[in-house]
Amino acid sequence: MQGFQEFEPIFNEPRIEWAKNSNPGSGLMDQFFMHVFAPDGNHLKIRVTDYHSNTFEAIKSAMQLDDMRDCIGIGGSWNEFVEYLVASFKAEDVKLVLEKLSNSDDVAYAKLVAQKSKGMPLISISLTKLLDSAARDCMANMSFGLFKAFKCMKNMVVQEKEHSLQLTKIISAEKERSENIQRQLGKRQKLEKMNSSDKLDVSGPPASNGAQNSPDKLAGRDAASTKVTNRVVPAFRRAKVRGALLQDIEDDKDN
């Protein structure tokens, strides 16, 4: 069976309930403060006070609480039982049952009653009233314990704020880096588009050359060349004419 090595102190304000046939006196306080902690790994200490004239205490060993677990019928492992104790002591419905002495305003009896939720097993622990120096020491120790818990909580809040600030800076830096990358990618894509457009303009033939080399233009040129060639006088005709001219000249000489 394990003890209470990792038990965190619990602070709570129990709800006051008077036992039957016991009415509260005019001098009794209606607010109490509760402190549950483990002074060592084998004991649990419960203290309740109104910081006036009523201070109570109970010390329970791990063995005693294990016996109580069997009596109230809580199964499971020891760790599960400790978790149930913690949840019960932290609940809003924790009750401090008080009973007065007859014909007096002094409290003769007190017990702490807690449960995790309605319908769950009840944890009932009787408390012993402390007097004089024992009560004063108990109230002082509760005050110091509360102050330590406050400092611990404050440090945790400060650490969480610093951690949150660091995360915010990291997120901001990552966001700025992502935006820079997006801008660089946009510029690169724009430059690539401009380069590809320039390559198309240089490699493609001019529109005028394309029009001049179109099939219709080429067909027209071929037709024109054919007509010009047809106008040239054949060689045999040219020779015949020259022969005729030469014959004419000879005839003139003879005459």
Side-chain angles (χ1 to χ4, degrees):
M1 181 181 62
Q2 298 180 1
F4 305 100
Q5 285 78 8
E6 298 181 357
F7 191 91
E8 295 292 334
I10 299 172
F11 296 93
N12 202 349
E13 183 181 359
R15 182 168 56 88
I16 306 303
E17 183 176 296
W18 291 94
K20 294 180 180 179
N21 302 322
S22 182
N23 296 321
S26 59
L28 292 175
M29 305 296 290
D30 59 354
Q31 286 184 318
F32 281 77
F33 183 61
M34 180 184 75
H35 182 203
V36 182
F37 65 102
D40 54 56
N42 296 318
H43 294 85
L44 204 62
K45 186 173 287 190
I46 302 167
R47 290 173 169 174
V48 182
T49 184
D50 61 358
Y51 284 100
H52 189 255
S53 57
N54 294 288
T55 301
F56 305 93
E57 183 183 70
I59 301 175
K60 296 293 181 181
S61 66
M63 186 175 296
Q64 289 174 324
L65 290 173
D66 193 46
D67 293 337
M68 183 183 69
R69 176 174 66 144
D70 294 335
C71 293
I72 62 180
I74 299 178
S77 65
W78 171 256
N79 289 333
E80 291 174 340
F81 173 64
V82 173
E83 290 176 0
Y84 185 83
L85 284 177
V86 172
S88 299
F89 289 138
K90 287 182 176 181
E92 296 181 357
D93 198 33
V94 179
K95 292 186 297 184
L96 180 65
V97 182
L98 302 175
E99 184 176 354
K100 288 195 313 176
L101 289 171
S102 58
N103 300 323
S104 174
D105 288 338
D106 292 335
V107 177
Y109 173 80
K111 69 176 179 179
L112 194 69
V113 180
Q115 61 183 152
K116 185 176 180 180
S117 59
K118 291 184 179 180
M120 301 291 286
L122 285 173
I123 297 173
S124 180
I125 299 177
S126 298
L127 303 172
T128 301
K129 188 171 184 177
L130 301 179
L131 301 173
D132 302 329
S133 61
R136 291 192 294 271
D137 291 342
C138 180
M139 288 186 284
N141 291 333
M142 289 178 66
S143 298
F144 281 118
L146 181 62
F147 178 69
K148 289 180 180 179
F150 170 75
K151 284 182 63 178
C152 182
M153 186 64 67
K154 181 180 178 181
N155 291 335
M156 289 178 61
V157 172
V158 172
Q159 291 177 1
E160 288 295 328
K161 286 184 177 180
E162 292 177 353
H163 183 61
S164 177
L165 182 60
Q166 291 176 357
L167 289 178
T168 302
K169 290 180 179 180
I170 293 173
I171 292 172
S172 178
E174 288 295 328
K175 183 178 180 181
E176 184 177 357
R177 178 172 172 272
S178 177
E179 291 176 352
N180 290 334
I181 292 174
Q182 293 295 330
R183 284 195 294 267
Q184 292 176 3
L185 288 175
K187 291 180 180 179
R188 184 178 300 175
Q189 292 175 356
K190 185 176 180 180
L191 183 61
E192 289 177 353
K193 290 181 179 179
M194 292 175 62
N195 292 336
S196 61
S197 177
D198 293 341
K199 289 179 180 179
L200 290 174
D201 293 341
V202 172
S203 61
S208 58
N209 292 339
Q212 293 176 2
N213 295 328
S214 63
D216 295 338
K217 291 288 185 178
L218 292 174
R221 289 178 184 176
D222 293 341
S225 300
T226 302
K227 290 179 181 179
V228 172
T229 303
N230 290 338
R231 292 194 186 100
V232 177
V233 178
F236 69 89
R237 292 182 62 186
R238 291 198 301 271
K240 186 176 181 180
V241 171
R242 288 176 185 145
L245 292 174
L246 290 175
Q247 187 66 34
D248 292 341
I249 294 171
E250 290 177 355
D251 291 341
D252 292 336
K253 286 181 178 181
D254 293 338
N255 293 331

